[in-house]
Amino acid sequence: VKHTGRFKGLSYPFWKTAPNVGDHELALGQYRWNPTPMPKESTDFIAGIRTMTTAGDALGQSGMAAHVYVANTSMVDDHFFNADGEMLVV
């Protein structure tokens, strides 16, 4: 399917996809994260996603990513659609 002119690429630097190599030099093991600070600027759900860790390889269709989110603004005139990402939001 070819979509022309309807969609545009966006950049969300806090979203990461596996393999996310070179992001850090932490050793393997259990970790915990401090609470994500509330942003001072207006941030909706999409801009508020923060990737905590990734594993595997998205191109090989195996692996996972764990995210948290912060939001202080409604998504007026915007939406999020995930057709096949097997994403669970809790």
Side-chain angles (χ1 to χ4, degrees):
V1 175
K2 184 176 179 183
H3 300 283
T4 57
R6 185 172 168 198
F7 301 102
K8 62 182 178 179
L10 299 173
S11 175
Y12 291 99
F14 296 113
W15 285 67
K16 309 276 194 245
T17 301
N20 186 27
V21 295
D23 195 30
H24 56 74
E25 297 294 325
L26 297 175
L28 294 176
Q30 290 183 326
Y31 293 100
R32 59 177 279 201
W33 301 286
N34 291 330
T36 304
M38 275 307 258
K40 294 183 182 359
E41 64 279 352
S42 181
T43 305
D44 65 14
F45 173 76
I46 296 173
I49 294 285
R50 307 290 189 258
T51 303
M52 302 307 283
T53 189
T54 64
D57 186 347
L59 296 176
Q61 296 183 347
S62 66
M64 58 75 65
H67 314 279
V68 297
Y69 74 92
V70 294
N72 59 14
T73 302
S74 294
M75 291 178 50
V76 178
D77 297 327
D78 207 352
H79 69 279
F80 175 72
F81 180 77
N82 186 348
D84 59 353
E86 298 176 5
M87 184 177 212
L88 172 65
V89 178
V90 179

